[in-house]
Amino acid sequence: MLPCAAEDAVTLGEGLTPLLAAPRIGAFLGVADLAIKDEGRNPTWSHKDRFSTVAVSVARARGAKIVATASSGNAGASLAAYAARAGLKCIVTTFAGSAGAMLSQIRKYGATVLPLVTKMDRWSLLAQAANRYDWFIASPYHGPVVGSHPLGIEGYKTMAYEIVEQSGGTAPDWCVLPVCYGDALSGLWSGFCELFAHGAITRLPRLVAAEVHGSLAAALASGADALADRQMVFDSLAVSIGTPRSTFQALKALRESHGHAVPVGNQGLVAMQERLAREEGIFAELASVTPLIAISTLRQKGIIAATDRVVAVVTASGLKDLDRSVTPDTNDQIFQTTQDAWRWLDAHEPGLTS
């Protein structure tokens, strides 16, 4: 089902991530049957590994020596890891404001990082590299954006296959995920459609895009096919999906699935991240908790019913953007003796010592 022969595969053991019941966070959101597909369990801790395994496999099979991408973090880290596995050179163009932890991860894999002040300059550099030097470009590099390399996007179909397999052969009522340019959304929808066409499932889920600046929501509301740039009126904590304009491929998947797009701001992001970690043991990147806020919004509007089965895709680990989600605690106690520690517990956590 993928555009690459098994013997050509470059793999780090990606996929087969858990689909976890999340009853406590589900009760908080008003959804009795909520499950979380935890893509942070992939080799580089994000769903991008499903893309990179296919893209790098195809690149190496075609004889490419250099792979490149424009990335704020996750895609770059993933492509760098798979390029290292394949013995290829990797170039990552990025921009000021990218999460520091992810840039460090990219460099550890041996990739070359090129930060540019202007985001669009990343694309012009990659376009020149493709034309002059025949680099294999994994990401978009011209506007309007039409998504990343189409063969790499095929890798995201495997999320749909796994969700159905892990759900006993049924599709959920809703599948919600964070969306930037819609690569994962498009690939996920393609996977569900293939399963439906082959008779593996009897119905298709509805998709929801949790976005930042609302280009998909605006296009759905207006009926337009061309997505307009949205004014970026705030600096999103969810840097992985902070684009002012998504793509037609994402819009197409939402329309075909009778889905929705929900703009999500910064308010409540860190609190939701902490609640998910505390109540379900899943530490998600800030962009990855936007689906939970989108579910809450649609539940309050009565669009998602309390009895619907909902799958939220957590696309990356919370370790990816600690520099954005954690404020250093200068008030941490340093205990000189165990007695000091016990006295502190008696005073601040009496339920533990009663």
Side-chain angles (χ1 to χ4, degrees), residues 114-136:
L114 301 176
L116 294 160
V117 171
T118 303
K119 287 187 177 182
M120 293 297 289
D121 284 347
R122 300 177 304 158
W123 293 354
S124 59
L125 188 152
L126 293 178
Q128 292 165 20
N131 292 331
R132 295 177 185 175
Y133 309 114
D134 200 29
W135 291 4
F136 184 97

Side-chain angles (χ1 to χ4, degrees), residues 161-253:
Y161 304 157
E162 290 177 20
I163 288 169
V164 169
E165 182 178 9
Q166 292 166 325
S167 302
T170 62
D173 296 299
W174 298 89
C175 199
V176 191
L177 65 164
V179 171
C180 183
Y181 294 131
D183 292 344
L185 187 78
S186 179
L188 181 73
W189 179 240
S190 177
F192 281 126
C193 288
E194 285 183 356
L195 291 167
F196 183 75
H198 284 82
I201 54 176
T202 58
R203 60 180 175 81
L204 289 164
R206 300 175 71 180
L207 303 185
V208 176
E211 56 178 350
V212 172
H213 297 294
S215 66
L216 290 167
L220 286 172
S222 68
D225 286 340
L227 284 81
D229 272 336
R230 303 286 290 179
Q231 186 177 1
M232 299 172 68
V233 296
F234 66 98
D235 180 22
S236 177
L237 291 172
V239 65
S240 296
I241 58 172
T243 181
R245 178 175 62 185
S246 190
T247 64
F248 180 75
Q249 61 168 349
L251 182 62
K252 180 174 181 286

